[in-house]
Amino acid sequence: MRRRAVPAALIVAAGFSAGAITVQEIRADGAADERAPTGARPLSQAVSGLPLPLRPAFTVGRPRLLDAKEARARFAPALEAVEARARPRFDAATVARLTRETEEGTTNVVLVLGEVRGPRGTWVHVRLPVLPNGRTGWVPRSALGGYRFVHTRLLVDRARFTVTLLRDGRPLLRARVGVGRPAWPTPAGNFYIRDKVSGFDDPFYGPVAFGTSARSAVLTDWPGGGFVGIHGTNEPQLIPGRISHGCIRLRNDDILRLARLMPVGTPVTIR
């Protein structure tokens, strides 16, 4: 019997031969042969009219070893007002109410100390900006936004009138400060930076001020509840010394340097 002829089909191959586009012909016997079409162009010319590839959404960086001295702290914004509990349970006693905004109208944040997962969801152990200073509590994970990380820590030495900013344990900045007078002492303990504000009408606060979670134990009737701030001053000649109602004052050049290096969420230790 004569084999019936099958029309050939032309397919543009994915490969390239000798710098020209190759055409692959499927013959009637099922075999394939390759040939360069008449007038074939070099590859560089053939693809010159194609659109550029899309830029990747991100580039994977080179892996690096973690520094043995690397230290990170976590903080998270409050998405809603919520009761902080003594234990990670909804039926536990309330220790404080966490608000969504600070007294300055900025987003309230809390320093994260840890978390646990239970049958009714994840609970987060946080440091609270309430009296008595140092109080902690548990809030549902759903009440907080995404975790953010900082590598900085601020140390305030009331006896030496100094402030030191560390990044992963290494000093970045040291400056002289003024602290609270004996009648209105700057409280000691572990706190964190809640917010950063600027643009004051009163030069008393200098160009920048940080709000901390520390609160005065003797000036609780002050506007906003007597929170301890870290700010500049229009009286730099008084620094160092015991000069304030509890706030920590820096010379304006120093507070501007600190503002460039210290993010919100930084843990603060006052001793």
Side-chain angles (χ1 to χ4, degrees), residues 183-222:
W184 308 292
T186 301
N190 293 311
F191 310 101
Y192 62 94
I193 299 295
R194 294 176 76 204
D195 57 11
K196 179 171 70 172
V197 293
S198 60
F200 301 104
D201 294 331
D202 190 342
F204 175 82
Y205 296 101
V208 182
F210 292 94
T212 76
S213 62
R215 298 177 69 166
S216 172
V218 296
L219 296 174
T220 55
D221 58 342
W222 271 37

Side-chain angles (χ1 to χ4, degrees), residues 9-16 20-26 34-35 37 46:
L10 296 181
I11 301 175
V12 178
F16 297 91
I21 293 180
T22 299
V23 175
Q24 186 181 69
E25 181 177 350
I26 309 300
E34 295 180 348
R35 58 186 170 83

Side-chain angles (χ1 to χ4, degrees), residues 62-84:
R62 296 181 62 184
R64 67 178 181 86
L65 295 175
L66 292 177
D67 192 325
K69 294 183 179 179
E70 184 177 47
R72 295 194 301 173
R74 286 182 293 174
F75 71 97
L79 298 181
E80 59 187 43
V82 65
E83 305 294 330

Side-chain angles (χ1 to χ4, degrees), residues 6 29 157 171 191:
V6 178
D29 59 2
D157 191 323
F191 310 101

Side-chain angles (χ1 to χ4, degrees), residues 7 22 27 31 44 49-50 96 120 148 153 172 175 178 186 224 228:
T22 299
R27 299 201 307 258
S44 59
L50 297 177
R120 300 186 63 185
R148 302 180 188 182
R153 179 176 295 273
L172 280 182
T186 301
V228 173

Side-chain angles (χ1 to χ4, degrees), residues 56-248:
F58 67 94
T59 301
V60 178
R62 296 181 62 184
R64 67 178 181 86
L65 295 175
L66 292 177
D67 192 325
K69 294 183 179 179
E70 184 177 47
R72 295 194 301 173
R74 286 182 293 174
F75 71 97
L79 298 181
E80 59 187 43
V82 65
E83 305 294 330
R85 307 283 178 174
R87 292 180 177 83
R89 301 198 312 262
F90 284 105
D91 60 351
T94 298
V95 296
R97 182 168 177 78
L98 180 65
T99 60
R100 187 174 179 273
E101 291 187 347
T102 68
E103 291 67 27
E104 292 79 29
T106 60
T107 299
N108 204 2
V109 301
V110 287
L111 191 68
V112 175
L113 304 177
E115 64 178 36
V116 296
R117 295 184 181 182
R120 300 186 63 185
T122 300
W123 287 79
V124 183
H125 192 204
V126 300
R127 191 174 297 286
L128 296 166
V130 299
L131 287 172
N133 285 312
R135 174 163 287 187
T136 65
W138 294 87
V139 296
R141 180 68 184 88
S142 58
L144 303 178
Y147 289 152
R148 302 180 188 182
F149 296 86
V150 295
H151 291 251
T152 47
R153 179 176 295 273
L154 191 70
L155 304 178
V156 180
D157 191 323
R158 298 176 300 171
R160 292 183 172 87
F161 304 115
T162 61
V163 65
T164 303
L165 181 68
L166 307 175
R167 178 181 290 159
D168 290 331
R170 301 181 180 91
L172 280 182
L173 175 149
R174 286 193 178 95
R176 302 287 274 171
V177 298
V179 297
R181 299 174 186 176
W184 308 292
T186 301
N190 293 311
F191 310 101
Y192 62 94
I193 299 295
R194 294 176 76 204
D195 57 11
K196 179 171 70 172
V197 293
S198 60
F200 301 104
D201 294 331
D202 190 342
F204 175 82
Y205 296 101
V208 182
F210 292 94
T212 76
S213 62
R215 298 177 69 166
S216 172
V218 296
L219 296 174
T220 55
D221 58 342
W222 271 37
F227 280 94
V228 173
I230 302 173
H231 60 80
T233 181
N234 59 350
E235 297 181 302
Q237 71 278 6
L238 299 180
I239 296 173
R242 303 187 187 280
I243 59 174
S244 76
H245 287 86
C247 287
I248 299 161

